[in-house]
Amino acid sequence: TFDKIRGIDLIPGLILSLREKITNFTIFITGDGPLRSMVQSWDYPEVEFCGFLEKDDYLKKIEEVDACLVLQKPDHPFTSGSFPSKIDDYAEHKKPIYILKLCV
């Protein structure tokens, strides 16, 4: 879900950090939500917006990537009682899972 709780707004900072370390990467963004227009307005060559995918297409996309992201903000109260179901899909496909933590 594209909302501030789940951290889709962390993507621009992630891109800038990754650019300092690697030169060729793509972040595939799947899903939908209240911040969709913000996501679609981004002009980053490293981002491919896929929108909401049906389950089979979503699982195919997971198969295609090298690693998966969990963007929920660890310091948000919602996160303490939440387990993102996508982690099960990522683990089932034996993908490395990266969880972003904000350092301010």
Side-chain angles (χ1 to χ4, degrees):
T1 302
F2 301 160
D3 60 26
K4 291 184 179 183
I5 293 171
R6 289 172 188 85
I8 193 70
D9 56 321
L10 300 176
I11 292 291
L14 172 63
I15 291 168
L16 296 176
S17 293
L18 287 174
R19 284 178 179 170
E20 294 177 6
K21 306 212 181 301
I22 56 179
T23 57
N24 189 18
F25 63 93
T26 301
I27 297 174
F28 297 96
I29 298 178
T30 64
D32 202 356
L35 298 179
R36 179 187 181 126
S37 61
M38 178 190 72
V39 173
Q40 288 180 303
S41 74
W42 289 337
D43 187 25
Y44 299 107
E46 300 92 349
V47 169
E48 183 176 319
F49 175 70
C50 303
F52 181 81
L53 300 175
E54 295 298 327
K55 185 71 171 184
D56 287 344
D57 293 330
Y58 175 68
L59 296 176
K60 279 184 198 173
K61 185 57 72 181
I62 292 172
E63 285 180 28
E64 296 171 2
V65 302
D66 298 314
C68 300
L69 297 173
V70 176
L71 298 176
Q72 282 187 227
K73 297 177 179 178
D75 57 343
H76 194 283
F78 172 81
T79 303
S80 66
S82 171
F83 178 81
S85 59
K86 61 185 157 204
I87 290 176
D88 290 332
D89 295 328
Y90 297 168
E92 184 177 316
H93 286 84
K94 297 179 173 48
K95 297 295 178 174
I97 301 169
Y98 295 95
I99 300 172
L100 299 183
K101 181 170 178 158
L102 291 175
C103 297
V104 289

